[in-house]
């Protein structure tokens, strides 16, 4: 029988790539969607009929229990979160509830539906759990590159909420013997990245400027450094983590760090533009506390999962600029028409 996976955050960047990957591995894939007018239902219909949708919200314990009871998944991937770091200062409480306590609610749904009570019962839970942890937990780093053992010093309410979810995942593994793992993923991007994140903000601006639709791009901290990879590569690591004999946490990244300025220079040059003629620094995009640099040591993932990224930074930026040039050159709304399958 096909293995069955439930993905929270199915409408997000990673949710779509993970769903495609699991479908290609022969899985039955369910996605949790919230609200009554799902944008995804209208916007991502290329997967119509292949992914099954179920309503639920990380803020609503009962809906998560009902989803797990209905589906009986073999694997749960908790990708749902408020994931945009600046928003976590504007809505700190909501971020803590969704990105942090949401992890507790999903673990509790699995524990309840698996019949695990009080004490540690190794191996008793059949449902395997993946938590989307983040390199933002490292925050102000005092060692580089960062490994699974690097201490956390989060710099935003988002980072703090992710650290809570990370420790809780470890705690449920140790307390109840659950197969619960945390993937500490560094920044990963794609043409499906939300437009508020810096890589997509840049690739969209490059396309608009190239096509004469805009002249200027306003950015914040150009000196910040990130370890950027391709989302399509990273979802393979998530799946591999749930196929191991023992539950363990892994750092996933490329091991190469670049500045926002290097990203900008490359993206503009790929379109034959000089970034200095268009980019303006704007303090409105500078954060109350930023993470200045991140760089992964993915050695454990390579050794134990056999995982390594296939897409270079140059290829990734090229992919995004090319995709946005095509998107903005195409007249009209290119989204496919309505989604046909039922939402539970
Ligand atoms: P994303 O595109 O922002 O997607 C976030 C998803 O969370 C959306 O599907 C959203 O659904 C869902 N969500 C928001 N609030 C929810 C709620 N109350 N209940 C259920 N679902 C809710 O994020 P992503 O880039 O795919 O990242 C996936 C996960 O990995 C996130 O947890 C993120 O924090 C983490 N992460 C990402 C990166 C990265 O570089 N991309 C790195 C490390 C960790 P709606 O469409 O309904 O809003
Ligand atoms: O693209 P960003 O918004 O990503 P950030 O904050 O690193 O967070 C992303 O990666 C995390 C993994 O480390 C995820 F957990 C998280 O969910 C999210 O996916 O910003 C990257 C850097 C920052 O230092 C920011 O200050 O770019 C700098 N930056 C400079 N100007 C800007 C801008 N970021 C944005 N979004 N917009 C700007 O105008």
């Amino acid at each position: 029988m096909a293995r069955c996976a439930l993905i929270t955050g199915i409408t997000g960047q990673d949710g779509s790539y993970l769903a495609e990957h699991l479908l290609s591995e022969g899985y039955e894939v369910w996605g949790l969607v919230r609200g009554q007018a799902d944008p995804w239902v209208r916007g991502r219909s290329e997967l119509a009929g292949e992914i099954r949708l179920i309503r639920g919200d990380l803020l609503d314990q009962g809906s998560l229990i009902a989803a797990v009871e209905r589906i009986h998944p073999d694997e749960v991937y908790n990708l749902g979160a408020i994931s945009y770091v600046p928003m976590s200062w504007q809505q700190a409480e909501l971020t803590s509830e969704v990105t942090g306590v949401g992890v507790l609610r999903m673990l509790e749904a699995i524990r309840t539906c698996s019949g695990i009570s009080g004490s540690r019962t190794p191996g008793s839970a059949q449902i395997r759990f993946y938590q989307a942890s983040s390199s933002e937990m490292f925050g102000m780093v005092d060692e580089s590159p960062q490994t699974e053992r690097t201490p956390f010093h989060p710099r935003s309410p988002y980072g703090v909420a992710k650290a809570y979810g990370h420790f809780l995942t470890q705690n449920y593994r140790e307390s109840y013997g659950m197969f619960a793992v945390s993937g500490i993923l560094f920044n990963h991007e794609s043409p499906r990245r939300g437009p508020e994140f810096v890589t997509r903000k840049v690739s969209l601006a490059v396309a608009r400027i190239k096509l004469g639709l805009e002249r200027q791009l306003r950015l914040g901290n150009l000196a910040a450094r990130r370890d950027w990879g391709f989302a399509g590569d990273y979802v393979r690591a998530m799946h591999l983590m749930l196929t191991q004999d023992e539950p363990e946490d892994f750092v996933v990244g490329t091991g190469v760090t670049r500045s926002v300025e290097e990203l900008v220079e490359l993206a503009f040059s790929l379109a034959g533009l000089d970034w200095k003629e268009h980019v303006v620094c704007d303090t409105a995009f500078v954060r109350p506390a930023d993470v200045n640099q991140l760089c992964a040591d993915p050695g454990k993932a390579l050794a134990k999962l056999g995982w390594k990224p296939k897409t270079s930074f140059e290829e990734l930026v090229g992919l995004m600029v090319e995709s946005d040039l095509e998107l903005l050159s195409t007249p009209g709304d290119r989204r496919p028409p309505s989604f046909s399958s039922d939402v539970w």
Side-chain angles (χ1 to χ4, degrees):
M1 215 166 71
R3 284 184 74 74
C4 175
L6 169 63
I7 302 173
T8 73
I10 190 85
T11 56
Q13 169 189 258
D14 291 6
S16 71
Y17 282 106
L18 179 63
E20 284 169 7
H21 179 65
L22 294 177
L23 286 169
S24 77
E25 296 280 318
Y27 275 67
E28 176 186 337
V29 177
W30 286 79
L32 191 86
V33 289
R34 69 194 176 114
Q36 59 183 80
D38 310 301
W40 185 81
V41 168
R42 293 190 299 275
R44 290 269 166 81
S45 60
E46 64 268 28
L47 293 175
E50 291 193 73
I51 297 179
R52 306 181 73 180
L53 302 178
I54 189 157
R55 286 200 199 284
D57 195 305
L58 287 166
L59 295 172
D60 186 314
Q61 179 72 76
S63 71
L64 303 180
I65 293 174
V68 174
E69 269 178 353
R70 162 76 182 81
I71 298 168
H72 288 296
D74 299 295
E75 298 170 10
V76 172
Y77 294 85
N78 186 39
L79 310 185
I82 288 177
S83 77
Y84 184 45
V85 173
M87 192 171 152
S88 77
W89 279 283
Q90 292 160 349
Q91 299 187 3
E93 187 180 343
L94 185 64
T95 303
S96 308
E97 279 292 337
V98 177
T99 306
V101 184
V103 185
L104 172 66
R105 294 191 187 99
M106 187 45 95
L107 284 164
E108 274 296 294
I110 295 171
R111 189 179 73 80
T112 308
C113 295
S114 306
I116 302 169
S117 56
S119 59
R120 191 175 191 276
T121 47
S124 60
Q126 295 307 311
I127 302 174
R128 295 187 167 205
F129 175 78
Y130 172 87
Q131 168 56 19
S133 289
S134 165
S135 51
E136 277 290 307
M137 301 185 305
F138 295 126
M140 193 192 286
V141 295
D142 54 14
E143 69 177 30
S144 204
Q146 292 85 52
T147 73
E148 293 76 9
R149 293 173 306 285
T150 299
F152 297 158
H153 183 154
R155 296 273 283 166
S156 61
Y158 168 83
V160 173
K162 281 289 177 187
Y164 171 81
H166 173 82
F167 285 126
L168 204 71
T169 301
Q170 288 185 338
N171 180 261
Y172 270 53
R173 181 165 80 215
E174 292 169 10
S175 303
Y176 300 115
M178 287 170 65
F179 195 110
V181 305
S182 171
I184 308 174
L185 270 54
F186 284 62
N187 299 52
H188 44 280
E189 321 291 317
S190 74
R192 299 178 196 170
R193 185 60 142 150
E196 64 274 36
F197 298 96
V198 76
T199 52
R200 189 78 196 285
K201 184 173 173 180
V202 169
S203 65
L204 277 167
V206 165
R208 282 197 202 101
I209 292 169
K210 183 70 182 174
L211 297 171
L213 304 172
E214 210 166 76
R215 289 197 47 75
Q216 213 179 58
L217 168 61
R218 305 185 83 80
L219 290 173
N221 181 6
L222 293 185
R225 303 185 72 84
R226 289 291 183 277
D227 178 333
W228 279 295
F230 172 52
D233 289 339
Y234 287 39
V235 298
R236 285 189 289 112
M238 296 177 188
H239 178 226
L240 284 168
M241 280 180 227
L242 291 198
T243 62
Q244 299 300 292
D245 290 339
E246 296 298 327
E248 284 184 59
D249 304 328
F250 289 89
V251 156
V252 176
T254 69
V256 181
T257 179
R258 316 273 181 155
S259 66
V260 174
E261 185 175 317
E262 287 173 286
L263 159 74
V264 166
E265 189 176 3
L266 173 62
F268 276 77
S269 72
L270 286 170
L273 298 168
D274 180 356
W275 71 276
K276 289 190 176 147
E277 291 174 9
H278 302 281
V279 174
V280 174
C281 284
D282 185 338
T283 50
F285 296 107
V286 175
R287 299 173 183 187
D290 205 352
V291 171
N292 293 330
Q293 52 163 319
L294 289 172
C295 184
D297 175 352
K300 182 180 172 191
L302 177 62
K304 290 200 164 181
L305 303 177
W307 178 88
K308 59 179 176 189
K310 292 179 182 166
T311 314
S312 70
F313 178 70
E314 288 73 16
E315 288 168 334
L316 170 66
V317 177
L319 207 67
M320 294 179 71
V321 169
E322 196 184 325
S323 165
D324 281 331
L325 274 168
E326 195 196 329
L327 182 76
L328 297 185
S329 308
T330 312
D333 185 349
R334 298 194 320 146
R335 286 176 310 171
S338 68
F339 195 90
S340 55
S341 68
D342 292 332
V343 183
W344 284 86

